[in-house]
Amino acid sequence: MKTIDLRSDTVTKPTQEMRDAMAGAEVGDDVYGEDPTVNRLEELSARMLGKESALLVTSGTQGNQLAVMSHTRRGDEVILERSSHIYQFEVGGMAVLSGVQAAPIDGIGGRMDPSAVESAIRGDNIHYPRTSLICLENTHNRSGGAVLPPEHMKEVCAIAQTYGIMTHLDGARLFNAATALGVPVSELAAPFDSVQICLSKGLAAPVGSILAGSREFIQAARKFRKMLGGGMRQAGVIAAAGIVALTRMTERLKEDHDNARLLAQGLSEIPGLRIDMASVQTNMVFGAIADPGRNAGQLAEFLANRHIRINVLDAGHFRLVTHKDVDSGDIDNVLDGMRQFFAESQAYPVTGKTVSFKDNY
Ligand SMILES: Cc1ncc(COP(=O)(O)O)c(C=O)c1O
């Protein structure tokens, strides 16, 4: 029986086309710069993102951390949204790897108020750290996959430029934002000094992310990647799937967005659940339990017993992510399961055997 896994789009399996491309990939030693498939992927992604240069990295986390390392000096301060992935879910890497501190700002729908960003920029005072980097995230994961509008990103980047501060875009799901907005990713990446995109989420490649920016920036990041053990040898095997991801998988993201909307619509009609439809903009649905007798752990366990996996955020909240391995028939099955959970009268004990909390962002 098929398991419907809605915990994240990171669970997507590579397509047959990717597997074929990987098996037949032309390879060389990428630390010597001699892997033709990696070189092809890096050139393709630089072109798509409208940047001079690009680097294949092992993961979104590595891409973001290399950006912070390359843009900052020890003791600097980085402005970023409080619930952003870089601040919350990268194991404190900024502090450990770059020796910088964060100046987190609360956002709404992932958006920091531009005037709050400007106020957080440190002046020229002997006591202050130097503000050297501002990071944005689009789509914004913890805001339910919300899309940051291009004008907002331009406004924040213009402020940064006025003060000579670098900007980085965590675009783990930038293609989802581009799909929702109907614009090319290059337009969204344009105001930023650097951008990171994930190949291994909705685009379904098994491994890898891309970091892009100026030639000089990528040179610095390449060296730091080596330092972190991310210099891979015959990485063309991975890059081959990345090329398929960028050339064959971006157009279909609209399907995931349509399925998320369908799912959210169905959930919003179930008594006991609260869904903010306005927040459903891409491939994520965040739900709240509005029944005092039940919690998200119970719901997850009930569904897990029906081969449906969801991501529990806390006792009252859960996250569902649509992706290529979930179709509209699966959405119907999930809605049936949800309805059953709220229709049955007994309480469900959580054994913890089938559900793990906060395991995947
Ligand atoms: C917004 C965002 N940035 C970065 C990452 C990190 O990507 P990875 O899991 O490849 O390290 C994620 C992962 O979910 C993410 O959602």
Side-chain angles (χ1 to χ4, degrees):
M1 184 172 182
K2 177 184 179 180
T3 295
I4 305 168
D5 196 340
L6 295 165
R7 288 172 302 162
S8 178
D9 46 12
T10 57
V11 304
T12 44
K13 305 269 167 57
T15 62
Q16 190 56 48
E17 191 177 0
M18 285 176 181
R19 291 174 189 271
D20 293 344
M22 293 171 83
E26 206 187 331
V27 294
D29 190 328
D30 181 49
V31 175
Y32 292 154
E34 290 173 4
D35 188 302
T37 312
V38 171
N39 292 342
R40 205 146 55 83
L41 171 64
E42 291 180 343
E43 281 157 26
L44 170 69
S45 36
R47 205 162 52 244
M48 288 176 84
L49 291 164
K51 300 293 180 203
E52 262 178 14
S53 198
L55 183 70
L56 171 65
V57 295
T58 56
S59 65
T61 300
Q62 189 178 66
N64 286 336
Q65 291 303 322
L66 291 176
V68 179
M69 290 173 87
S70 307
H71 284 311
T72 63
R73 295 197 305 249
R74 290 174 66 75
D76 282 354
E77 195 164 66
V78 176
I79 296 173
L80 73 187
E81 202 279 323
R82 190 179 302 280
S83 62
S84 64
H85 198 278
I86 297 179
Y87 183 51
Q88 294 290 349
F89 306 118
E90 298 191 3
V91 209
M94 280 205 322
V96 177
L97 300 167
S98 300
V100 295
Q101 68 184 22
I105 293 177
D106 290 316
I108 298 175
R111 274 181 258 182
M112 298 180 279
D113 179 348
S115 61
V117 172
E118 188 159 11
S119 304
I121 295 171
R122 301 288 193 153
D124 185 18
N125 181 309
I126 195 168
H127 299 90
Y128 289 163
R130 184 180 75 124
T131 304
S132 56
L133 179 64
I134 299 174
C135 300
L136 299 188
E137 182 178 311
N138 200 3
T139 62
H140 195 273
N141 186 339
R142 294 297 283 191
S143 304
V147 178
L148 268 55
E151 312 76 54
H152 170 76
M153 298 196 293
K154 279 186 204 147
E155 190 179 351
V156 174
C157 289
I159 293 169
Q161 206 167 20
T162 305
Y163 291 87
I165 294 167
M166 304 309 273
T167 51
H168 173 69
L169 177 61
D170 177 357
R173 297 181 180 83
L174 194 62
F175 279 96
N176 294 87
T179 300
L181 291 164
V183 299
V185 279
S186 56
E187 193 175 318
L188 302 180
F192 293 88
D193 294 297
S194 62
V195 56
Q196 181 276 121
I197 56 159
C198 287
L199 304 168
S200 64
K201 300 202 161 62
L203 302 184
V207 185
S209 283
I210 294 290
L211 181 63
S214 70
R215 196 155 288 122
E216 199 184 3
F217 166 80
I218 291 298
Q219 246 169 29
R222 190 180 290 279
K223 196 149 170 102
F224 282 130
R225 185 188 68 171
K226 188 75 183 76
M227 186 198 281
L228 299 185
M232 298 177 285
R233 303 296 177 172
Q234 284 72 42
V237 172
I238 291 169
I243 291 171
V244 177
L246 290 178
T247 53
R248 308 276 296 164
M249 303 299 287
T250 61
E251 301 279 308
R252 58 153 310 285
L253 291 176
K254 186 177 178 309
E255 222 176 284
D256 299 342
H257 297 187
D258 291 346
N259 280 336
R261 193 106 206 127
L262 193 68
L263 180 58
Q265 189 60 50
L267 293 176
S268 71
E269 289 160 15
I270 298 176
L273 275 180
R274 211 159 9 87
I275 307 291
D276 173 12
M277 288 302 291
S279 75
V280 184
Q281 298 171 13
T282 56
N283 67 333
M284 293 188 186
V285 181
F286 279 38
I289 307 280
D291 176 342
R294 294 165 206 266
N295 66 51
Q298 294 166 337
L299 173 65
E301 187 139 334
F302 179 88
L303 293 172
N305 289 328
R306 283 153 185 76
H307 307 279
I308 297 165
R309 305 190 73 178
I310 69 170
N311 195 314
V312 176
L313 301 173
D314 58 41
H317 300 89
F318 60 91
R319 184 184 79 169
L320 311 173
V321 185
T322 54
H323 51 75
K324 80 149 180 66
D325 297 331
V326 174
D327 60 29
S328 58
D330 296 330
I331 302 293
D332 290 340
N333 288 339
V334 173
L335 289 172
D336 280 348
M338 293 270 188
R339 282 187 209 105
Q340 268 174 32
F341 174 75
F342 286 99
E344 290 187 19
S345 57
Q346 78 269 30
Y348 299 94
V350 180
T351 65
K353 278 189 205 129
T354 50
V355 179
S356 62
F357 284 70
K358 296 192 176 192
D359 60 352
N360 204 329
Y361 290 88

